[in-house]
Short mmCIF file of all heavy atoms in Angstrom, two decimals:
data_model
loop_
_atom_site.label_atom_id
_atom_site.label_comp_id
_atom_site.label_asym_id
_atom_site.label_seq_id
_atom_site.Cartn_x
_atom_site.Cartn_y
_atom_site.Cartn_z
N ALA F 300 -91.09 4.86 94.19
CA ALA F 300 -92.62 4.86 94.13
C ALA F 300 -93.26 3.50 94.51
O ALA F 300 -94.27 3.58 95.12
CB ALA F 300 -92.97 5.29 92.64
N LEU F 301 -92.59 2.39 94.27
CA LEU F 301 -92.95 1.14 94.59
C LEU F 301 -93.10 0.90 96.10
O LEU F 301 -93.57 -0.10 96.58
CB LEU F 301 -92.25 0.02 93.87
CG LEU F 301 -92.31 0.06 92.27
CD1 LEU F 301 -91.41 -1.03 91.70
CD2 LEU F 301 -93.75 -0.10 91.87
N CYS F 302 -92.35 1.78 96.89
CA CYS F 302 -92.29 1.57 98.34
C CYS F 302 -93.70 1.86 98.90
O CYS F 302 -93.98 1.53 100.11
CB CYS F 302 -91.24 2.48 98.97
SG CYS F 302 -89.61 1.99 98.68
N PHE F 303 -94.59 2.51 98.22
CA PHE F 303 -96.02 2.64 98.61
C PHE F 303 -96.50 1.20 99.04
O PHE F 303 -97.34 1.15 99.99
CB PHE F 303 -96.93 3.06 97.48
CG PHE F 303 -96.93 4.56 97.44
CD1 PHE F 303 -96.75 5.19 96.24
CD2 PHE F 303 -97.26 5.28 98.51
CE1 PHE F 303 -96.83 6.63 96.07
CE2 PHE F 303 -97.32 6.76 98.42
CZ PHE F 303 -97.21 7.38 97.19
N LEU F 304 -96.14 0.10 98.34
CA LEU F 304 -96.51 -1.22 98.63
C LEU F 304 -95.90 -1.84 99.88
O LEU F 304 -96.37 -3.05 100.26
CB LEU F 304 -96.28 -2.09 97.43
CG LEU F 304 -96.84 -1.59 96.06
CD1 LEU F 304 -96.48 -2.45 94.97
CD2 LEU F 304 -98.33 -1.52 96.14
N THR F 305 -94.94 -1.19 100.52
CA THR F 305 -94.28 -1.66 101.62
C THR F 305 -93.80 -3.10 101.44
O THR F 305 -94.13 -4.03 102.21
CB THR F 305 -95.06 -1.63 102.93
OG1 THR F 305 -95.77 -0.37 102.96
CG2 THR F 305 -94.26 -1.72 104.12
N PRO F 306 -92.85 -3.32 100.46
CA PRO F 306 -92.39 -4.67 100.21
C PRO F 306 -91.43 -5.05 101.36
O PRO F 306 -90.97 -4.25 102.15
CB PRO F 306 -91.53 -4.49 98.97
CG PRO F 306 -91.18 -3.12 98.88
CD PRO F 306 -92.34 -2.35 99.58
N GLY F 307 -91.13 -6.31 101.47
CA GLY F 307 -90.31 -6.90 102.57
C GLY F 307 -88.86 -6.40 102.27
O GLY F 307 -88.45 -5.71 101.44
N LEU F 308 -87.97 -6.97 103.14
CA LEU F 308 -86.49 -6.64 103.09
C LEU F 308 -85.86 -6.88 101.77
O LEU F 308 -85.24 -5.95 101.07
CB LEU F 308 -85.77 -7.27 104.24
CG LEU F 308 -84.21 -7.07 104.29
CD1 LEU F 308 -83.98 -5.54 104.41
CD2 LEU F 308 -83.63 -7.78 105.36
N VAL F 309 -85.90 -8.17 101.31
CA VAL F 309 -85.17 -8.50 100.05
C VAL F 309 -85.78 -7.77 98.81
O VAL F 309 -84.88 -7.28 98.09
CB VAL F 309 -85.36 -10.11 99.79
CG1 VAL F 309 -84.84 -10.41 98.43
CG2 VAL F 309 -84.53 -10.82 100.95
N PRO F 310 -87.08 -7.64 98.71
CA PRO F 310 -87.52 -6.90 97.50
C PRO F 310 -87.07 -5.39 97.62
O PRO F 310 -86.69 -4.79 96.62
CB PRO F 310 -89.05 -6.93 97.60
CG PRO F 310 -89.32 -8.25 98.28
CD PRO F 310 -88.22 -8.28 99.40
N THR F 311 -87.00 -4.79 98.87
CA THR F 311 -86.59 -3.41 99.00
C THR F 311 -85.12 -3.35 98.63
O THR F 311 -84.66 -2.33 98.01
CB THR F 311 -86.87 -2.95 100.36
OG1 THR F 311 -88.31 -3.09 100.72
CG2 THR F 311 -86.50 -1.54 100.47
N LEU F 312 -84.31 -4.28 99.04
CA LEU F 312 -82.93 -4.26 98.79
C LEU F 312 -82.78 -4.21 97.27
O LEU F 312 -81.90 -3.53 96.72
CB LEU F 312 -82.21 -5.49 99.36
CG LEU F 312 -82.03 -5.40 100.89
CD1 LEU F 312 -81.38 -6.74 101.42
CD2 LEU F 312 -80.95 -4.31 101.26
N LEU F 313 -83.50 -5.02 96.52
CA LEU F 313 -83.33 -5.21 95.10
C LEU F 313 -83.87 -3.79 94.47
O LEU F 313 -83.20 -3.31 93.60
CB LEU F 313 -84.14 -6.28 94.53
CG LEU F 313 -83.77 -7.68 94.79
CD1 LEU F 313 -84.74 -8.66 94.41
CD2 LEU F 313 -82.45 -7.86 94.20
N LEU F 314 -84.92 -3.21 94.99
CA LEU F 314 -85.41 -1.93 94.45
C LEU F 314 -84.40 -0.84 94.64
O LEU F 314 -84.16 -0.02 93.76
CB LEU F 314 -86.78 -1.60 95.16
CG LEU F 314 -87.94 -2.50 94.68
CD1 LEU F 314 -89.20 -2.06 95.56
CD2 LEU F 314 -88.31 -2.19 93.18
N TRP F 315 -83.95 -0.71 95.87
CA TRP F 315 -82.96 0.32 96.13
C TRP F 315 -81.61 0.03 95.42
O TRP F 315 -80.97 1.07 95.05
CB TRP F 315 -82.72 0.43 97.63
CG TRP F 315 -84.00 0.94 98.40
CD1 TRP F 315 -85.28 1.10 97.88
CD2 TRP F 315 -84.01 1.43 99.77
NE1 TRP F 315 -86.14 1.57 98.91
CE2 TRP F 315 -85.40 1.70 99.98
CE3 TRP F 315 -83.10 1.52 100.77
CZ2 TRP F 315 -85.79 2.20 101.23
CZ3 TRP F 315 -83.48 1.91 102.02
CH2 TRP F 315 -84.87 2.29 102.17
N GLY F 316 -81.32 -1.08 95.18
CA GLY F 316 -80.14 -1.49 94.38
C GLY F 316 -80.29 -0.93 92.95
O GLY F 316 -79.41 -0.36 92.35
N ILE F 317 -81.46 -1.21 92.41
CA ILE F 317 -81.75 -0.69 91.00
C ILE F 317 -81.77 0.80 90.92
O ILE F 317 -81.23 1.37 89.98
CB ILE F 317 -83.18 -1.28 90.56
CG1 ILE F 317 -83.10 -2.80 90.41
CG2 ILE F 317 -83.59 -0.66 89.30
CD1 ILE F 317 -84.37 -3.45 90.23
N SER F 318 -82.30 1.49 91.96
CA SER F 318 -82.34 2.91 92.05
C SER F 318 -80.91 3.45 91.91
O SER F 318 -80.55 4.34 91.29
CB SER F 318 -83.07 3.45 93.18
OG SER F 318 -82.92 4.78 93.43
N GLY F 319 -80.00 2.69 92.76
CA GLY F 319 -78.55 3.12 92.86
C GLY F 319 -77.93 2.91 91.51
O GLY F 319 -77.14 3.78 91.07
N MET F 320 -78.20 1.81 90.70
CA MET F 320 -77.67 1.60 89.46
C MET F 320 -78.02 2.65 88.49
O MET F 320 -77.18 3.23 87.73
CB MET F 320 -78.07 0.22 88.92
CG MET F 320 -77.42 -0.99 89.70
SD MET F 320 -77.94 -2.58 89.00
CE MET F 320 -77.12 -2.52 87.41
N ALA F 321 -79.32 2.99 88.45
CA ALA F 321 -79.73 4.01 87.56
C ALA F 321 -79.16 5.39 87.95
O ALA F 321 -78.97 6.25 87.00
CB ALA F 321 -81.26 4.07 87.54
N SER F 322 -78.88 5.59 89.15
CA SER F 322 -78.36 6.92 89.55
C SER F 322 -76.97 7.19 88.97
O SER F 322 -76.39 8.18 89.07
CB SER F 322 -78.30 7.02 91.05
OG SER F 322 -77.23 6.24 91.62
N ALA F 323 -76.39 6.02 88.38
CA ALA F 323 -75.06 6.32 87.73
C ALA F 323 -75.17 7.27 86.52
O ALA F 323 -74.11 7.66 86.01
CB ALA F 323 -74.57 4.93 87.22
N TYR F 324 -76.39 7.72 86.13
CA TYR F 324 -76.37 8.77 85.05
C TYR F 324 -75.69 10.03 85.56
O TYR F 324 -75.41 10.84 84.77
CB TYR F 324 -77.88 9.06 84.82
CG TYR F 324 -78.56 9.98 85.83
CD1 TYR F 324 -78.56 11.37 85.54
CD2 TYR F 324 -79.22 9.45 86.89
CE1 TYR F 324 -79.16 12.19 86.52
CE2 TYR F 324 -79.86 10.35 87.80
CZ TYR F 324 -79.83 11.57 87.56
OH TYR F 324 -80.49 12.50 88.46
N HIS F 325 -75.47 10.18 86.92
CA HIS F 325 -74.64 11.30 87.37
C HIS F 325 -73.27 11.39 86.70
O HIS F 325 -72.66 12.47 86.65
CB HIS F 325 -74.57 11.30 88.91
CG HIS F 325 -75.82 11.99 89.52
ND1 HIS F 325 -75.84 13.31 89.72
CD2 HIS F 325 -76.88 11.47 90.03
CE1 HIS F 325 -76.88 13.64 90.32
NE2 HIS F 325 -77.58 12.50 90.50
N LEU F 326 -72.72 10.15 86.39
CA LEU F 326 -71.34 10.17 85.95
C LEU F 326 -71.32 10.99 84.52
O LEU F 326 -70.53 11.94 84.39
CB LEU F 326 -70.92 8.79 85.79
CG LEU F 326 -69.63 8.47 85.03
CD1 LEU F 326 -68.42 9.24 85.72
CD2 LEU F 326 -69.30 6.95 84.92
N PRO F 327 -72.05 10.50 83.46
CA PRO F 327 -71.92 11.24 82.23
C PRO F 327 -72.58 12.67 82.48
O PRO F 327 -72.10 13.64 81.68
CB PRO F 327 -72.77 10.46 81.24
CG PRO F 327 -73.61 9.64 82.15
CD PRO F 327 -72.78 9.26 83.37
N THR F 328 -73.49 12.86 83.35
CA THR F 328 -74.06 14.23 83.48
C THR F 328 -72.94 15.23 84.00
O THR F 328 -72.87 16.28 83.42
CB THR F 328 -75.21 14.19 84.46
OG1 THR F 328 -76.33 13.38 84.04
CG2 THR F 328 -75.73 15.59 84.74
N SER F 329 -72.26 14.82 85.02
CA SER F 329 -71.21 15.66 85.65
C SER F 329 -70.02 15.89 84.63
O SER F 329 -69.51 17.01 84.52
CB SER F 329 -70.77 15.18 86.90
OG SER F 329 -70.27 13.85 86.76
#
Side-chain angles (χ1 to χ4, degrees):
L301 297 177
C302 287
F303 273 130
L304 305 176
T305 319
L308 177 61
V309 173
T311 302
L312 288 172
L313 292 173
L314 288 172
W315 292 12
I317 291 170
S318 175
M320 290 182 69
S322 75
Y324 80 90
H325 272 275
L326 172 62
T328 299
S329 58

